[in-house]
Amino acid sequence: MLVIGAGPIGLTAANLLADQGIRVMLVERHAGTSDEPRAISVTDETLRVMQQVGIMDRLAPEMLMDTGARYYGRKGQLLAEVRPASPRLGQPGKSQFDQPVMETLLL
């Protein structure tokens, strides 16, 4: 199986496929993980998958759990505010994370 792109989605897909015994080749144009976060928040579903992959115990201490998210425009104006939903899957509803940290743990 070929996975192109070693961002959070590609790395997670590669891990889940490998956990099923599937041989995976992960292709990424950059030499390492990203050094700037492009994604900043995750839902309880993402955290459930991170637990399944086996990194939640190391990821959780690096996160701001159950905080929701605020998104700002280029001029500093508030574009949207998302409050955490009630947890449905045993994890907080909406939490903040650092993408480079998550990618490093997934790698």
Side-chain angles (χ1 to χ4, degrees):
M1 178 69 62
L2 176 64
V3 175
I4 299 174
I9 302 299
L11 288 165
T12 300
N15 275 284
L16 291 171
L17 290 164
D19 284 348
Q20 295 300 313
I22 299 170
R23 287 186 54 177
V24 179
M25 177 182 285
L26 180 63
V27 178
E28 170 59 43
R29 80 173 83 169
H30 303 291
T33 59
S34 65
D35 58 355
E36 292 185 21
R38 291 180 299 270
I40 61 165
S41 67
V42 294
T43 65
D44 53 344
E45 178 68 19
T46 301
L47 296 180
R48 184 193 65 75
V49 173
M50 294 302 109
Q51 186 171 20
Q52 180 181 348
V53 170
I55 67 165
M56 195 59 200
D57 60 331
R58 291 171 286 156
L59 181 60
E62 303 291 331
M63 297 181 68
L64 297 173
M65 303 296 264
D66 213 25
T67 57
R70 289 189 183 125
Y71 301 94
Y72 294 92
R74 291 180 190 236
K75 297 178 182 175
Q77 76 277 23
L78 181 63
L79 298 175
E81 183 171 1
V82 181
R83 299 194 187 279
S86 298
R88 303 166 295 147
L89 303 165
Q91 298 290 346
K94 184 85 165 164
S95 301
Q96 305 303 305
F97 77 105
D98 185 1
Q99 181 175 336
V101 169
M102 180 186 279
E103 287 180 2
T104 298
L105 292 171
L106 286 166
L107 188 60

